[in-house]
Amino acid sequence: MRAHEAGALHGELGNRGPAWLRTPDDVNALVPQLWPRGVVRDSDGVLTVSGLNVKDLRAEFGTPAYVLDEDDLRARARAFQAAFQGHDVYYAGKAFLCRAVVRAIDEEGLFLDVCSGGELATALSAGMSPERIGFHGNNKSVRELERAVDAGVGRIIVDSFDEIDRLAAIARERGKRQPVLVRVTVGVEAHTHEFIATAHEDQKFGFSVGGGAAFKAVCKILDDDVLDLRGLHSHIGSQIFDASGFEVAARRVLALQAQIRDARGVELPEIDLGGGFGIAYTTQDDPAAPADLAERMLKIVDDECEARGLAVPKLSVEPGRAIVGPAVFTLYEVGTVKDVDGLRTYVSVDGGMSDNIRTALYDASYSATVAGRASTADPILARVVGKHCESGDIVVKDEFLPADVQPGDLLAVPGTGAYCRSMASNYNHVPRPPVVAVRGGEARVIVRRETEDDLLALDVG
Ligand code: LLP
């Protein structure tokens, strides 16, 4: 296909088509914003990460595999840390958590946000100090709360009146004063997929600012000194590019802060504006740099505090995706190539919706490239699909791949570090892929491949 034909096709696909397409002339090109910093093609056209080529990675670790460029992850963590200097950055472990990542995050000086007993256990078992952990969740169990209080978790973000009662009882029983934040919903409509927007009123998280529940929750906590109220927390959603949502959230949270001061004579020392910073999955995505985000967020907090005569509270943020998402690509092997006449070419890989549910669940867009070689063949419009028994099992909806893509080729999909392994399933009894970390020219498995024995070990009937 010629470039102009591809352009026409792009136009033709219109709204039901891709959010973006690479131009068909550059099927071998690696758009830098989509790939970990350590990824380049070598002189033979083979993708390499930190000097290791993907053919060798396949030989050693098999496919599919999540490949993590650990230096890239650390650089992103450091960039947030530097941008929010003097404030606290919590890595949101729900994006992807394992012991090696906890240690990397810890070494880079970040705090950690966990949202379940399992994530807490992972963090503690990796040696993360409990005071550096924040514990989230709209329905933490009594057992989870007890474990968190017993461990000495630095802050628990409370999310319901039931939880305030439970947590107060647990702390009282232990004679401890537990630091908490109150999660509030500020009524911001984040421009993101409905399932990952969290600050509009009609949803399960937090206490509504507009409806008055947030102020009531704050008063309830202040009236019971077994809980140490450190501040307010707002998370407006995920994969957000427009900082204005954070600005509106900050204003509304600080208005509540002023209301609390006026009514109760207390100025809360902290404010957390959550995570949700967007990343590039395609060339159409244009995420802001952490430094720019930080500048805007800190300025709005400063201005708003000045206008209301409040002392500036310590700010914390909770990026997950923006730290781990771009640091990982998934390496697959192509199994079949099927040309569905006149429509498109289906390229099936040896994984799919079990290792990346985001395309099926959120209609997410990804990119892909043939990784084991460069090609001079004409580009074709391809859809990368998995091996599951479901037609919605799509990994990459639309991508130009070289027409000679064939069984045995390696295919790499970038931007899969966040919410892919952490949301992976065993659908169709497909074992989950390993996570292979590459650093300083060396590769090591940090989460091993699941085996059929692992699957059968749970089947005790
Ligand atoms: N803080 C809180 C309170 C959160 O609920 C979340 C994400 C984060 C921080 C981190 O957000 P991030 O910076 O990673 O966007 N499974 C969905 C995303 C769900 C996010 C849930 N909460 C996805 O794959 O897009």
PDB file of all heavy atoms in Angstrom, residues 92 94-95 113 136 183 195-196 198 205 233-235 237-239 272 274-278 281 318-322 358 361-362 418-420 423, ligand 1:
ATOM      1  N   ALA A  92       1.632   4.299  43.001  1.00  0.00           N
ATOM      2  CA  ALA A  92       0.386   3.535  43.139  1.00  0.00           C
ATOM      3  C   ALA A  92       0.628   2.099  42.695  1.00  0.00           C
ATOM      4  O   ALA A  92       0.673   1.792  41.496  1.00  0.00           O
ATOM      5  CB  ALA A  92      -0.725   4.183  42.310  1.00  0.00           C
ATOM      6  N   LYS A  94      -1.101  -0.468  42.526  1.00  0.00           N
ATOM      7  CA  LYS A  94      -2.105  -1.221  41.759  1.00  0.00           C
ATOM      8  C   LYS A  94      -1.707  -1.302  40.285  1.00  0.00           C
ATOM      9  O   LYS A  94      -2.123  -2.209  39.576  1.00  0.00           O
ATOM     10  CB  LYS A  94      -3.491  -0.598  41.928  1.00  0.00           C
ATOM     11  CG  LYS A  94      -3.646   0.781  41.372  1.00  0.00           C
ATOM     12  CD  LYS A  94      -4.719   1.570  42.103  1.00  0.00           C
ATOM     13  CE  LYS A  94      -4.133   2.127  43.386  1.00  0.00           C
ATOM     14  NZ  LYS A  94      -5.037   2.909  44.192  1.00  0.00           N
ATOM     15  N   ALA A  95      -0.907  -0.345  39.802  1.00  0.00           N
ATOM     16  CA  ALA A  95      -0.494  -0.365  38.392  1.00  0.00           C
ATOM     17  C   ALA A  95       0.343  -1.611  38.104  1.00  0.00           C
ATOM     18  O   ALA A  95       0.131  -2.296  37.110  1.00  0.00           O
ATOM     19  CB  ALA A  95       0.290   0.896  38.046  1.00  0.00           C
ATOM     20  N   ASP A 113       1.594   3.509  47.642  1.00  0.00           N
ATOM     21  CA  ASP A 113       0.150   3.421  47.884  1.00  0.00           C
ATOM     22  C   ASP A 113      -0.274   1.981  47.582  1.00  0.00           C
ATOM     23  O   ASP A 113       0.005   1.451  46.512  1.00  0.00           O
ATOM     24  CB  ASP A 113      -0.534   4.489  47.004  1.00  0.00           C
ATOM     25  CG  ASP A 113      -1.869   4.096  46.390  1.00  0.00           C
ATOM     26  OD1 ASP A 113      -2.513   3.145  46.838  1.00  0.00           O
ATOM     27  OD2 ASP A 113      -2.275   4.793  45.434  1.00  0.00           O
ATOM     28  N   HIS A 136      -5.293   2.403  50.740  1.00  0.00           N
ATOM     29  CA  HIS A 136      -6.534   2.851  50.111  1.00  0.00           C
ATOM     30  C   HIS A 136      -7.575   1.744  50.061  1.00  0.00           C
ATOM     31  O   HIS A 136      -7.235   0.564  50.211  1.00  0.00           O
ATOM     32  CB  HIS A 136      -6.261   3.220  48.652  1.00  0.00           C
ATOM     33  CG  HIS A 136      -5.870   4.641  48.457  1.00  0.00           C
ATOM     34  ND1 HIS A 136      -6.782   5.661  48.472  1.00  0.00           N
ATOM     35  CD2 HIS A 136      -4.671   5.212  48.238  1.00  0.00           C
ATOM     36  CE1 HIS A 136      -6.159   6.801  48.261  1.00  0.00           C
ATOM     37  NE2 HIS A 136      -4.879   6.564  48.125  1.00  0.00           N
ATOM     38  N   ARG A 183     -10.913  10.537  52.050  1.00  0.00           N
ATOM     39  CA  ARG A 183     -11.049  10.587  50.590  1.00  0.00           C
ATOM     40  C   ARG A 183     -12.331  11.319  50.223  1.00  0.00           C
ATOM     41  O   ARG A 183     -13.428  10.931  50.646  1.00  0.00           O
ATOM     42  CB  ARG A 183     -11.074   9.180  50.007  1.00  0.00           C
ATOM     43  CG  ARG A 183     -11.464   9.168  48.551  1.00  0.00           C
ATOM     44  CD  ARG A 183     -10.488   8.471  47.691  1.00  0.00           C
ATOM     45  NE  ARG A 183     -10.884   8.479  46.302  1.00  0.00           N
ATOM     46  CZ  ARG A 183     -10.570   7.541  45.447  1.00  0.00           C
ATOM     47  NH1 ARG A 183      -9.874   6.499  45.841  1.00  0.00           N
ATOM     48  NH2 ARG A 183     -10.932   7.626  44.181  1.00  0.00           N
ATOM     49  N   PHE A 195     -15.131   4.021  33.265  1.00  0.00           N
ATOM     50  CA  PHE A 195     -14.747   3.069  34.308  1.00  0.00           C
ATOM     51  C   PHE A 195     -13.523   3.502  35.094  1.00  0.00           C
ATOM     52  O   PHE A 195     -13.221   2.940  36.131  1.00  0.00           O
ATOM     53  CB  PHE A 195     -14.471   1.683  33.703  1.00  0.00           C
ATOM     54  CG  PHE A 195     -15.680   1.031  33.113  1.00  0.00           C
ATOM     55  CD1 PHE A 195     -15.551  -0.152  32.401  1.00  0.00           C
ATOM     56  CD2 PHE A 195     -16.940   1.570  33.269  1.00  0.00           C
ATOM     57  CE1 PHE A 195     -16.666  -0.761  31.848  1.00  0.00           C
ATOM     58  CE2 PHE A 195     -18.058   0.966  32.716  1.00  0.00           C
ATOM     59  CZ  PHE A 195     -17.925  -0.198  31.995  1.00  0.00           C
ATOM     60  N   ILE A 196     -12.748   4.455  34.556  1.00  0.00           N
ATOM     61  CA  ILE A 196     -11.554   4.869  35.289  1.00  0.00           C
ATOM     62  C   ILE A 196     -11.632   6.330  35.734  1.00  0.00           C
ATOM     63  O   ILE A 196     -10.649   6.916  36.136  1.00  0.00           O
ATOM     64  CB  ILE A 196     -10.247   4.565  34.510  1.00  0.00           C
ATOM     65  CG1 ILE A 196     -10.283   5.138  33.099  1.00  0.00           C
ATOM     66  CG2 ILE A 196      -9.985   3.074  34.458  1.00  0.00           C
ATOM     67  CD1 ILE A 196      -8.986   4.893  32.315  1.00  0.00           C
ATOM     68  N   THR A 198     -13.118   8.857  38.582  1.00  0.00           N
ATOM     69  CA  THR A 198     -13.485   8.557  39.972  1.00  0.00           C
ATOM     70  C   THR A 198     -13.925   9.751  40.806  1.00  0.00           C
ATOM     71  O   THR A 198     -14.089   9.600  42.004  1.00  0.00           O
ATOM     72  CB  THR A 198     -12.293   7.907  40.713  1.00  0.00           C
ATOM     73  OG1 THR A 198     -11.178   8.762  40.580  1.00  0.00           O
ATOM     74  CG2 THR A 198     -11.973   6.532  40.176  1.00  0.00           C
ATOM     75  N   PHE A 205     -16.567   5.674  45.283  1.00  0.00           N
ATOM     76  CA  PHE A 205     -15.441   6.132  46.104  1.00  0.00           C
ATOM     77  C   PHE A 205     -15.747   7.426  46.856  1.00  0.00           C
ATOM     78  O   PHE A 205     -16.441   8.308  46.356  1.00  0.00           O
ATOM     79  CB  PHE A 205     -14.202   6.382  45.218  1.00  0.00           C
ATOM     80  CG  PHE A 205     -13.605   5.113  44.678  1.00  0.00           C
ATOM     81  CD1 PHE A 205     -13.691   4.818  43.333  1.00  0.00           C
ATOM     82  CD2 PHE A 205     -12.958   4.219  45.516  1.00  0.00           C
ATOM     83  CE1 PHE A 205     -13.138   3.649  42.829  1.00  0.00           C
ATOM     84  CE2 PHE A 205     -12.401   3.048  45.028  1.00  0.00           C
ATOM     85  CZ  PHE A 205     -12.499   2.765  43.680  1.00  0.00           C
ATOM     86  N   HIS A 233      -8.014  13.912  50.718  1.00  0.00           N
ATOM     87  CA  HIS A 233      -7.486  13.205  49.567  1.00  0.00           C
ATOM     88  C   HIS A 233      -8.486  13.234  48.426  1.00  0.00           C
ATOM     89  O   HIS A 233      -9.675  12.995  48.631  1.00  0.00           O
ATOM     90  CB  HIS A 233      -7.215  11.739  49.952  1.00  0.00           C
ATOM     91  CG  HIS A 233      -6.652  10.936  48.818  1.00  0.00           C
ATOM     92  ND1 HIS A 233      -7.400  10.569  47.720  1.00  0.00           N
ATOM     93  CD2 HIS A 233      -5.422  10.429  48.610  1.00  0.00           C
ATOM     94  CE1 HIS A 233      -6.637   9.892  46.887  1.00  0.00           C
ATOM     95  NE2 HIS A 233      -5.437   9.789  47.407  1.00  0.00           N
ATOM     96  N   SER A 234      -8.004  13.505  47.230  1.00  0.00           N
ATOM     97  CA  SER A 234      -8.877  13.471  46.049  1.00  0.00           C
ATOM     98  C   SER A 234      -8.142  12.786  44.902  1.00  0.00           C
ATOM     99  O   SER A 234      -6.965  13.049  44.669  1.00  0.00           O
ATOM    100  CB  SER A 234      -9.221  14.910  45.642  1.00  0.00           C
ATOM    101  OG  SER A 234      -9.498  14.993  44.265  1.00  0.00           O
ATOM    102  N   HIS A 235      -8.837  11.879  44.244  1.00  0.00           N
ATOM    103  CA  HIS A 235      -8.273  11.244  43.035  1.00  0.00           C
ATOM    104  C   HIS A 235      -9.350  11.341  41.962  1.00  0.00           C
ATOM    105  O   HIS A 235     -10.429  10.796  42.129  1.00  0.00           O
ATOM    106  CB  HIS A 235      -7.926   9.776  43.335  1.00  0.00           C
ATOM    107  CG  HIS A 235      -7.548   8.993  42.117  1.00  0.00           C
ATOM    108  ND1 HIS A 235      -6.316   9.100  41.511  1.00  0.00           N
ATOM    109  CD2 HIS A 235      -8.245   8.094  41.378  1.00  0.00           C
ATOM    110  CE1 HIS A 235      -6.267   8.297  40.454  1.00  0.00           C
ATOM    111  NE2 HIS A 235      -7.424   7.681  40.350  1.00  0.00           N
ATOM    112  N   GLY A 237      -9.322  10.409  38.668  1.00  0.00           N
ATOM    113  CA  GLY A 237      -9.466   9.416  37.599  1.00  0.00           C
ATOM    114  C   GLY A 237      -8.113   9.100  37.001  1.00  0.00           C
ATOM    115  O   GLY A 237      -7.087   9.496  37.555  1.00  0.00           O
ATOM    116  N   SER A 238      -8.118   8.383  35.878  1.00  0.00           N
ATOM    117  CA  SER A 238      -6.857   7.911  35.320  1.00  0.00           C
ATOM    118  C   SER A 238      -6.717   8.276  33.851  1.00  0.00           C
ATOM    119  O   SER A 238      -7.701   8.534  33.158  1.00  0.00           O
ATOM    120  CB  SER A 238      -6.785   6.389  35.458  1.00  0.00           C
ATOM    121  OG  SER A 238      -6.320   6.052  36.732  1.00  0.00           O
ATOM    122  N   GLN A 239      -5.459   8.249  33.408  1.00  0.00           N
ATOM    123  CA  GLN A 239      -5.114   8.544  32.013  1.00  0.00           C
ATOM    124  C   GLN A 239      -5.637   9.937  31.645  1.00  0.00           C
ATOM    125  O   GLN A 239      -6.321  10.139  30.643  1.00  0.00           O
ATOM    126  CB  GLN A 239      -5.640   7.431  31.099  1.00  0.00           C
ATOM    127  CG  GLN A 239      -5.231   7.478  29.636  1.00  0.00           C
ATOM    128  CD  GLN A 239      -3.704   7.470  29.402  1.00  0.00           C
ATOM    129  OE1 GLN A 239      -2.921   7.425  30.328  1.00  0.00           O
ATOM    130  NE2 GLN A 239      -3.290   7.536  28.165  1.00  0.00           N
ATOM    131  N   ASP A 272      -3.691  15.459  49.426  1.00  0.00           N
ATOM    132  CA  ASP A 272      -3.247  14.501  48.414  1.00  0.00           C
ATOM    133  C   ASP A 272      -4.154  14.627  47.209  1.00  0.00           C
ATOM    134  O   ASP A 272      -5.384  14.540  47.339  1.00  0.00           O
ATOM    135  CB  ASP A 272      -3.309  13.062  48.984  1.00  0.00           C
ATOM    136  CG  ASP A 272      -2.647  12.059  48.049  1.00  0.00           C
ATOM    137  OD1 ASP A 272      -2.964  12.086  46.839  1.00  0.00           O
ATOM    138  OD2 ASP A 272      -1.840  11.250  48.526  1.00  0.00           O
ATOM    139  N   GLY A 274      -3.934  12.659  44.485  1.00  0.00           N
ATOM    140  CA  GLY A 274      -4.102  11.383  43.793  1.00  0.00           C
ATOM    141  C   GLY A 274      -3.174  11.203  42.608  1.00  0.00           C
ATOM    142  O   GLY A 274      -2.188  11.921  42.426  1.00  0.00           O
ATOM    143  N   GLY A 275      -3.504  10.210  41.789  1.00  0.00           N
ATOM    144  CA  GLY A 275      -2.692   9.918  40.607  1.00  0.00           C
ATOM    145  C   GLY A 275      -3.501  10.191  39.359  1.00  0.00           C
ATOM    146  O   GLY A 275      -4.359  11.073  39.349  1.00  0.00           O
ATOM    147  N   GLY A 276      -3.208   9.435  38.304  1.00  0.00           N
ATOM    148  CA  GLY A 276      -4.009   9.558  37.091  1.00  0.00           C
ATOM    149  C   GLY A 276      -3.311  10.233  35.936  1.00  0.00           C
ATOM    150  O   GLY A 276      -3.941  10.512  34.912  1.00  0.00           O
ATOM    151  N   PHE A 277      -2.011  10.510  36.070  1.00  0.00           N
ATOM    152  CA  PHE A 277      -1.301  11.228  35.007  1.00  0.00           C
ATOM    153  C   PHE A 277      -1.166  10.339  33.771  1.00  0.00           C
ATOM    154  O   PHE A 277      -0.672   9.221  33.855  1.00  0.00           O
ATOM    155  CB  PHE A 277       0.073  11.683  35.518  1.00  0.00           C
ATOM    156  CG  PHE A 277      -0.023  12.336  36.877  1.00  0.00           C
ATOM    157  CD1 PHE A 277       0.544  11.757  37.995  1.00  0.00           C
ATOM    158  CD2 PHE A 277      -0.748  13.514  37.040  1.00  0.00           C
ATOM    159  CE1 PHE A 277       0.423  12.334  39.251  1.00  0.00           C
ATOM    160  CE2 PHE A 277      -0.881  14.100  38.295  1.00  0.00           C
ATOM    161  CZ  PHE A 277      -0.306  13.513  39.403  1.00  0.00           C
ATOM    162  N   GLY A 278      -1.587  10.881  32.644  1.00  0.00           N
ATOM    163  CA  GLY A 278      -1.670  10.082  31.418  1.00  0.00           C
ATOM    164  C   GLY A 278      -0.308   9.767  30.813  1.00  0.00           C
ATOM    165  O   GLY A 278       0.678  10.471  31.043  1.00  0.00           O
ATOM    166  N   TYR A 281       0.154   5.992  24.721  1.00  0.00           N
ATOM    167  CA  TYR A 281      -0.013   4.636  24.176  1.00  0.00           C
ATOM    168  C   TYR A 281       0.108   4.661  22.661  1.00  0.00           C
ATOM    169  O   TYR A 281       0.374   3.657  22.030  1.00  0.00           O
ATOM    170  CB  TYR A 281      -1.392   4.079  24.550  1.00  0.00           C
ATOM    171  CG  TYR A 281      -1.537   3.717  26.016  1.00  0.00           C
ATOM    172  CD1 TYR A 281      -2.249   4.524  26.886  1.00  0.00           C
ATOM    173  CD2 TYR A 281      -0.950   2.565  26.528  1.00  0.00           C
ATOM    174  CE1 TYR A 281      -2.382   4.198  28.231  1.00  0.00           C
ATOM    175  CE2 TYR A 281      -1.071   2.223  27.866  1.00  0.00           C
ATOM    176  CZ  TYR A 281      -1.789   3.043  28.712  1.00  0.00           C
ATOM    177  OH  TYR A 281      -1.901   2.717  30.028  1.00  0.00           O
ATOM    178  N   GLU A 318      -0.002  10.473  43.664  1.00  0.00           N
ATOM    179  CA  GLU A 318       0.069   9.007  43.616  1.00  0.00           C
ATOM    180  C   GLU A 318       0.127   8.480  42.181  1.00  0.00           C
ATOM    181  O   GLU A 318      -0.796   7.806  41.723  1.00  0.00           O
ATOM    182  CB  GLU A 318      -1.163   8.422  44.313  1.00  0.00           C
ATOM    183  CG  GLU A 318      -1.270   8.794  45.770  1.00  0.00           C
ATOM    184  CD  GLU A 318      -2.614   8.412  46.402  1.00  0.00           C
ATOM    185  OE1 GLU A 318      -3.614   8.277  45.661  1.00  0.00           O
ATOM    186  OE2 GLU A 318      -2.655   8.276  47.629  1.00  0.00           O
ATOM    187  N   PRO A 319       1.192   8.770  41.462  1.00  0.00           N
ATOM    188  CA  PRO A 319       1.260   8.249  40.086  1.00  0.00           C
ATOM    189  C   PRO A 319       1.564   6.750  40.062  1.00  0.00           C
ATOM    190  O   PRO A 319       2.419   6.273  40.804  1.00  0.00           O
ATOM    191  CB  PRO A 319       2.439   9.034  39.489  1.00  0.00           C
ATOM    192  CG  PRO A 319       3.301   9.373  40.665  1.00  0.00           C
ATOM    193  CD  PRO A 319       2.381   9.529  41.843  1.00  0.00           C
ATOM    194  N   GLY A 320       0.836   6.017  39.253  1.00  0.00           N
ATOM    195  CA  GLY A 320       1.127   4.599  39.058  1.00  0.00           C
ATOM    196  C   GLY A 320       1.546   4.389  37.615  1.00  0.00           C
ATOM    197  O   GLY A 320       2.710   4.161  37.290  1.00  0.00           O
ATOM    198  N   ARG A 321       0.548   4.555  36.727  1.00  0.00           N
ATOM    199  CA  ARG A 321       0.768   4.335  35.293  1.00  0.00           C
ATOM    200  C   ARG A 321       1.957   5.137  34.748  1.00  0.00           C
ATOM    201  O   ARG A 321       2.747   4.619  33.963  1.00  0.00           O
ATOM    202  CB  ARG A 321      -0.506   4.778  34.558  1.00  0.00           C
ATOM    203  CG  ARG A 321      -0.504   4.556  33.068  1.00  0.00           C
ATOM    204  CD  ARG A 321      -1.721   5.243  32.425  1.00  0.00           C
ATOM    205  NE  ARG A 321      -2.889   5.165  33.256  1.00  0.00           N
ATOM    206  CZ  ARG A 321      -3.890   4.314  33.080  1.00  0.00           C
ATOM    207  NH1 ARG A 321      -3.874   3.489  32.057  1.00  0.00           N
ATOM    208  NH2 ARG A 321      -4.921   4.314  33.908  1.00  0.00           N
ATOM    209  N   ALA A 322       2.076   6.408  35.175  1.00  0.00           N
ATOM    210  CA  ALA A 322       3.100   7.271  34.577  1.00  0.00           C
ATOM    211  C   ALA A 322       4.505   6.828  34.967  1.00  0.00           C
ATOM    212  O   ALA A 322       5.479   7.219  34.331  1.00  0.00           O
ATOM    213  CB  ALA A 322       2.871   8.724  35.004  1.00  0.00           C
ATOM    214  N   ARG A 358      -6.923  -4.451  28.788  1.00  0.00           N
ATOM    215  CA  ARG A 358      -7.295  -3.038  28.691  1.00  0.00           C
ATOM    216  C   ARG A 358      -7.975  -2.696  27.357  1.00  0.00           C
ATOM    217  O   ARG A 358      -8.851  -1.846  27.300  1.00  0.00           O
ATOM    218  CB  ARG A 358      -6.088  -2.142  28.936  1.00  0.00           C
ATOM    219  CG  ARG A 358      -5.500  -2.307  30.351  1.00  0.00           C
ATOM    220  CD  ARG A 358      -4.525  -1.207  30.708  1.00  0.00           C
ATOM    221  NE  ARG A 358      -5.191   0.072  30.865  1.00  0.00           N
ATOM    222  CZ  ARG A 358      -5.246   1.012  29.964  1.00  0.00           C
ATOM    223  NH1 ARG A 358      -4.627   0.861  28.804  1.00  0.00           N
ATOM    224  NH2 ARG A 358      -5.914   2.124  30.193  1.00  0.00           N
ATOM    225  N   LEU A 361     -11.499  -4.064  27.736  1.00  0.00           N
ATOM    226  CA  LEU A 361     -12.260  -3.455  28.832  1.00  0.00           C
ATOM    227  C   LEU A 361     -12.497  -1.956  28.645  1.00  0.00           C
ATOM    228  O   LEU A 361     -13.566  -1.449  28.963  1.00  0.00           O
ATOM    229  CB  LEU A 361     -11.512  -3.711  30.145  1.00  0.00           C
ATOM    230  CG  LEU A 361     -12.242  -3.441  31.451  1.00  0.00           C
ATOM    231  CD1 LEU A 361     -13.553  -4.204  31.535  1.00  0.00           C
ATOM    232  CD2 LEU A 361     -11.355  -3.824  32.638  1.00  0.00           C
ATOM    233  N   TYR A 362     -11.476  -1.253  28.187  1.00  0.00           N
ATOM    234  CA  TYR A 362     -11.582   0.217  28.091  1.00  0.00           C
ATOM    235  C   TYR A 362     -11.507   0.714  26.658  1.00  0.00           C
ATOM    236  O   TYR A 362     -11.347   1.923  26.444  1.00  0.00           O
ATOM    237  CB  TYR A 362     -10.443   0.889  28.866  1.00  0.00           C
ATOM    238  CG  TYR A 362     -10.244   0.405  30.266  1.00  0.00           C
ATOM    239  CD1 TYR A 362      -9.032  -0.146  30.667  1.00  0.00           C
ATOM    240  CD2 TYR A 362     -11.258   0.504  31.225  1.00  0.00           C
ATOM    241  CE1 TYR A 362      -8.819  -0.579  31.962  1.00  0.00           C
ATOM    242  CE2 TYR A 362     -11.055   0.078  32.516  1.00  0.00           C
ATOM    243  CZ  TYR A 362      -9.842  -0.475  32.878  1.00  0.00           C
ATOM    244  OH  TYR A 362      -9.634  -0.899  34.162  1.00  0.00           O
ATOM    245  N   ALA A 418       1.589  -0.825  33.039  1.00  0.00           N
ATOM    246  CA  ALA A 418       0.567  -0.507  34.032  1.00  0.00           C
ATOM    247  C   ALA A 418      -0.732  -1.237  33.718  1.00  0.00           C
ATOM    248  O   ALA A 418      -1.199  -1.206  32.570  1.00  0.00           O
ATOM    249  CB  ALA A 418       0.314   1.000  34.060  1.00  0.00           C
ATOM    250  N   TYR A 419      -1.289  -1.880  34.711  1.00  0.00           N
ATOM    251  CA  TYR A 419      -2.610  -2.505  34.630  1.00  0.00           C
ATOM    252  C   TYR A 419      -2.691  -3.602  33.565  1.00  0.00           C
ATOM    253  O   TYR A 419      -3.757  -3.859  33.016  1.00  0.00           O
ATOM    254  CB  TYR A 419      -3.698  -1.437  34.407  1.00  0.00           C
ATOM    255  CG  TYR A 419      -3.654  -0.351  35.461  1.00  0.00           C
ATOM    256  CD1 TYR A 419      -3.179   0.937  35.164  1.00  0.00           C
ATOM    257  CD2 TYR A 419      -4.050  -0.621  36.765  1.00  0.00           C
ATOM    258  CE1 TYR A 419      -3.108   1.912  36.135  1.00  0.00           C
ATOM    259  CE2 TYR A 419      -3.984   0.361  37.747  1.00  0.00           C
ATOM    260  CZ  TYR A 419      -3.511   1.619  37.429  1.00  0.00           C
ATOM    261  OH  TYR A 419      -3.432   2.578  38.391  1.00  0.00           O
ATOM    262  N   CYS A 420      -1.576  -4.202  33.224  1.00  0.00           N
ATOM    263  CA  CYS A 420      -1.627  -5.368  32.335  1.00  0.00           C
ATOM    264  C   CYS A 420      -1.313  -6.603  33.175  1.00  0.00           C
ATOM    265  O   CYS A 420      -2.195  -7.432  33.400  1.00  0.00           O
ATOM    266  CB  CYS A 420      -0.664  -5.196  31.161  1.00  0.00           C
ATOM    267  SG  CYS A 420      -1.265  -3.972  29.961  1.00  0.00           S
ATOM    268  N   MET A 423      -3.684  -6.812  36.104  1.00  0.00           N
ATOM    269  CA  MET A 423      -5.071  -7.196  35.807  1.00  0.00           C
ATOM    270  C   MET A 423      -5.118  -8.481  34.981  1.00  0.00           C
ATOM    271  O   MET A 423      -6.163  -8.823  34.420  1.00  0.00           O
ATOM    272  CB  MET A 423      -5.790  -6.069  35.055  1.00  0.00           C
ATOM    273  CG  MET A 423      -5.967  -4.809  35.884  1.00  0.00           C
ATOM    274  SD  MET A 423      -6.694  -3.470  34.915  1.00  0.00           S
ATOM    275  CE  MET A 423      -8.406  -3.943  34.934  1.00  0.00           C
TER     276      MET A 423
HETATM  277  N1  LLP B   1      -4.500   6.845  43.574  1.00  0.00           N
HETATM  278  C1  LLP B   1      -5.721   6.322  43.662  1.00  0.00           C
HETATM  279  C2  LLP B   1      -6.537   6.595  44.846  1.00  0.00           C
HETATM  280  C3  LLP B   1      -6.216   5.496  42.648  1.00  0.00           C
HETATM  281  O1  LLP B   1      -7.431   4.986  42.750  1.00  0.00           O
HETATM  282  C4  LLP B   1      -5.411   5.253  41.508  1.00  0.00           C
HETATM  283  C5  LLP B   1      -5.900   4.396  40.433  1.00  0.00           C
HETATM  284  C6  LLP B   1      -4.132   5.815  41.459  1.00  0.00           C
HETATM  285  C7  LLP B   1      -3.705   6.616  42.506  1.00  0.00           C
HETATM  286  C8  LLP B   1      -3.190   5.581  40.326  1.00  0.00           C
HETATM  287  O2  LLP B   1      -3.673   6.000  39.098  1.00  0.00           O
HETATM  288  P1  LLP B   1      -2.687   6.039  37.829  1.00  0.00           P
HETATM  289  O3  LLP B   1      -1.667   7.112  38.079  1.00  0.00           O
HETATM  290  O4  LLP B   1      -2.042   4.713  37.706  1.00  0.00           O
HETATM  291  O5  LLP B   1      -3.574   6.332  36.679  1.00  0.00           O
HETATM  292  N2  LLP B   1      -7.315  -0.323  35.537  1.00  0.00           N
HETATM  293  C9  LLP B   1      -7.424   1.014  34.986  1.00  0.00           C
HETATM  294  C10 LLP B   1      -6.946   2.044  35.952  1.00  0.00           C
HETATM  295  C11 LLP B   1      -7.633   2.004  37.287  1.00  0.00           C
HETATM  296  C12 LLP B   1      -7.023   2.971  38.221  1.00  0.00           C
HETATM  297  C13 LLP B   1      -7.528   2.806  39.598  1.00  0.00           C
HETATM  298  N3  LLP B   1      -6.991   3.740  40.497  1.00  0.00           N
HETATM  299  C14 LLP B   1      -6.651   1.063  33.681  1.00  0.00           C
HETATM  300  O6  LLP B   1      -6.122   0.049  33.257  1.00  0.00           O
HETATM  301  O7  LLP B   1      -6.585   2.107  33.036  1.00  0.00           O
END
